[in-house]
């Protein structure tokens, strides 16, 4: 059973560009959450998707958006990239009825 | 709002000695508490969780954590540290109820270094 998989593993973008990160949840999981982990910091909650809708959102600007597909996989989109968006982006999947989340390896985004 | 504090940025121990990584939390109701470990350039690996019941929770790789409601603490412990335990450790609390759906709030992390 594959766990949570994220792609790509590394990405370099230029300021002002747009980026899409992808996540496939662990088998049997229906909920996907995204976190941003800046260097030297703990992960910060961006948003959570369930039944293809954004269910909860953290304190991130509208430049951060997402999507969940019928197969429960998810995308994180960031528009108008800033240098400060450079971070490790983590996807976590879970089941609504269970407590706990499994994390992917993350996507390292560098904005230059 | 919920919060987590890890008061030590770094913890250094000798191999074979016991280790403790500290965590305190603040929530409005009963807490769901977690410990995760992160190796360089990797995601988060789940170690253990406290939901309810016994205050001493046992987890992966010989780690355990003690829940103390009166002190609002959830310290991570291991009786005998290994060099391979060296990593970044995160404590997290999950909110629940109302319009919350399991968002995790993390501490800043503690770097554990185990010396041979």
């Amino acid at each position: 059973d594959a766990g949570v998989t994220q792609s790509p593993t590394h990405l370099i973008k230029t300021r002002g560009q747009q980026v899409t990160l992808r996540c496939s949840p662990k088998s049997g999981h229906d909920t996907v959450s995204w976190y941003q982990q800046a260097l030297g910091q703990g992960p910060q909650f961006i948003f959570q998707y369930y039944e293809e809708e954004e269910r909860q959102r953290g304190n991130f600007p509208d430049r951060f958006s997402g999507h969940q597909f019928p197969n429960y996989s998810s995308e994180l989109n960031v528009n108008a990239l800033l240098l400060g968006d450079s971070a490790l982006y983590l996807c976590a999947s879970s089941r609504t009825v269970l407590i706990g989340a499994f994390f992917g390896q993350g996507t390292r985004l560098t904005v230059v | 709002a919920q919060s987590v504090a890890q008061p030590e940025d770094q913890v250094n121990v000798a191999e074979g000695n016991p280790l403790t990584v500290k965590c305190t939390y603040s929530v409005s109701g009963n807490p769901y508490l977690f410990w995760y470990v992160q190796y360089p350039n990797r995601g988060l690996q789940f170690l253990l969780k406290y939901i309810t019941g016994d205050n001493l929770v046992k987890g992966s790789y010989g780690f355990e954590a003690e829940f103390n409601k009166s002190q609002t603490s959830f310290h991570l412990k291991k009786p005998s540290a290994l060099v391979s335990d060296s990593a970044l450790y995160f404590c997290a609390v999950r909110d629940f109820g109302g319009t919350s759906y399991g968002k995790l709030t993390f501490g800043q992390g503690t770097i554990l270094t185990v010396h041979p």
Side-chain angles (χ1 to χ4, degrees):
Chain A
D1 170 31
V4 180
T5 58
Q6 292 186 243
S7 63
T9 54
H10 296 85
L11 203 53
I12 300 175
K13 289 287 189 178
T14 303
R15 276 178 298 173
Q17 285 188 315
Q18 178 264 345
V19 68
T20 298
L21 311 182
R22 296 176 175 81
C23 172
S24 294
K26 183 177 171 63
S27 177
H29 287 188
D30 56 9
T31 302
V32 173
S33 302
W34 287 91
Y35 292 80
Q36 180 195 65
Q37 185 181 10
L39 197 61
Q41 303 291 320
Q44 299 289 318
F45 176 78
I46 302 175
F47 43 53
Q48 182 184 86
Y49 276 83
Y50 173 69
E51 292 189 341
E52 302 179 48
E53 292 196 359
E54 182 182 293
R55 182 162 71 171
Q56 191 177 8
R57 188 178 184 92
N59 188 25
F60 278 80
D62 291 344
R63 298 187 297 109
F64 289 77
S65 63
H67 189 77
Q68 185 179 35
F69 299 93
N71 65 354
Y72 307 117
S73 66
S74 176
E75 289 181 349
L76 163 65
N77 300 293
V78 186
N79 293 323
L81 284 166
L82 304 173
L83 294 179
D85 295 331
S86 295
L88 181 67
Y89 288 84
L90 296 165
C91 171
S93 75
S94 57
R95 282 182 61 191
T96 305
V97 295
L98 295 180
I99 297 169
F102 290 84
F103 283 80
Q105 300 282 62
T107 294
R108 172 72 63 186
L109 172 64
T110 302
V111 182
V112 297
Chain B
Q2 60 192 35
S3 64
V4 173
Q6 293 180 241
E8 301 159 317
D9 291 335
Q10 293 192 42
V11 170
N12 296 289
V13 298
E15 188 173 32
N17 283 359
L19 70 86
T20 299
V21 183
K22 296 180 180 177
C23 171
T24 59
Y25 66 89
S26 174
V27 295
S28 56
N30 291 322
Y32 293 163
L33 295 159
F34 302 81
W35 276 101
Y36 287 88
V37 61
Q38 185 175 40
Y39 295 97
N41 299 314
R42 303 293 293 274
L44 301 179
Q45 295 181 29
F46 170 79
L47 281 179
L48 51 79
K49 66 184 177 186
Y50 172 82
I51 307 299
T52 186
D54 194 350
N55 288 342
L56 186 64
V57 179
K58 293 190 182 298
S60 306
Y61 313 117
F63 284 94
E64 57 190 28
E66 186 171 10
F67 172 68
N68 188 315
K69 188 172 184 178
S70 63
Q71 297 186 6
T72 62
S73 67
F74 188 56
H75 299 333
L76 181 70
K77 301 182 179 184
K78 188 173 183 181
S80 179
L82 299 173
V83 172
S84 57
D85 293 330
S86 300
L88 179 58
Y89 290 79
F90 288 101
C91 180
V93 63
R94 173 190 155 153
D95 64 355
F96 67 100
T99 58
S100 90
Y101 298 100
K103 159 191 163 184
L104 289 171
T105 298
F106 287 86
Q108 290 288 85
T110 298
I111 299 172
L112 171 67
T113 303
V114 181
H115 301 282

